[in-house]
Amino acid sequence: MRVVIADDAVLLREGLVRLLTENGHEVVAAVGDGDSLVAAIEEHRPDISIVDVRMPPNHTDEGLRAAVTARARVPRTPILVLSQYVEVSYADDLLADRAGAVGYLLKDRVAAIAEFLDAVGRVASGGTVLDPEVVSQLLVRRRRDDPLRELTPREREVLALMAEGRSNTAIARILVVSDGAVEKHVRNIFTKLQLPPDEEQHRRVLAVLAYLGG
């Protein structure tokens, strides 16, 4: 994959460059501010961009705002936010186009390199991967008109795990149920959220976005 990295911390940025290069990916740009991120995405049209939230000049939410701008200029460009912080407002904006290909991971909760690389691959392929803490804070913003009111408690559990990027097999393992039971719950979720038959990954993304925006 062709990757853009945006992080003002030089050591972390270069560490990501080395990690991705050693695993067969091409880093086409490594930048340290939001404007450079937008320019790099427009120029290179990468398979994925890995973005920190807080960057110069103010070290608040420049990286995330730049990612939102980049998605507006290059629709559906995959973005994986990798940060120490959850910035809810612009995370909502990043998810608002309902196109998927978005991830948000917290640096200090990435437990294994293999899991991180797997998340990179899933976001680049159009999936949505969110740290549970990010999911929790996004849900605080739920509207009163909840589109998920028809879901059973178990279906909500399954959908929450889908939001974390879990496969059906992984969900079955966590909930200690069969793969078939999870598949049935997922079908019910799609039906209740009025997601018509479509490519499986696309419907999973839409279900997760409904969950986060509900």
Side-chain angles (χ1 to χ4, degrees), residues 26 40 47 53 69 74 79 83 86 106 131 144 146 157 175 183 192 195 199 207:
E26 177 188 2
D47 298 303
V53 168
T69 299
V74 184
I79 299 287
S83 179
V86 180
L106 299 181
D131 183 277
R144 288 185 179 180
D146 186 357
E157 284 184 286
L175 298 181
E183 290 171 4
K192 291 179 180 180
L195 299 175
E199 192 270 323

Side-chain angles (χ1 to χ4, degrees), residues 1 25 48 80 115-127 129:
M1 290 186 293
H25 305 302
I48 188 169
L80 174 58
E115 291 181 4
F116 172 70
L117 293 173
D118 179 63
V120 170
R122 281 187 282 160
V123 173
S125 298
V129 179

Side-chain angles (χ1 to χ4, degrees), residues 148-159 185 188-189 192:
L148 310 178
R149 59 188 179 276
E150 300 296 330
L151 300 187
T152 67
R154 176 61 90 183
E155 288 163 356
R156 285 175 178 262
E157 284 184 286
V158 170
L159 188 50
H185 290 313
N188 288 342
I189 290 167
K192 291 179 180 180

Side-chain angles (χ1 to χ4, degrees), residues 49-72:
S49 298
I50 301 172
V51 182
D52 190 16
V53 168
R54 299 188 176 182
M55 290 195 291
N58 297 319
H59 294 278
T60 53
D61 55 13
E62 289 84 355
L64 199 47
R65 284 192 283 118
V68 172
T69 299
R71 289 269 285 197

Side-chain angles (χ1 to χ4, degrees), residues 61-137:
D61 55 13
E62 289 84 355
L64 199 47
R65 284 192 283 118
V68 172
T69 299
R71 289 269 285 197
R73 295 185 184 180
V74 184
R76 299 178 181 269
T77 187
I79 299 287
L80 174 58
V81 177
L82 181 63
S83 179
Q84 290 177 288
Y85 311 98
V86 180
E87 173 47 61
V88 175
S89 177
Y90 285 100
D92 272 347
D93 290 344
L94 198 58
L95 290 160
D97 62 10
R98 301 175 67 83
V102 172
Y104 200 135
L105 299 178
L106 299 181
K107 291 176 179 176
D108 60 356
R109 289 165 60 97
V110 176
I113 289 175
E115 291 181 4
F116 172 70
L117 293 173
D118 179 63
V120 170
R122 281 187 282 160
V123 173
S125 298
T128 302
V129 179
L130 301 170
D131 183 277
E133 179 61 24
V134 176
V135 173
S136 176
Q137 293 199 34

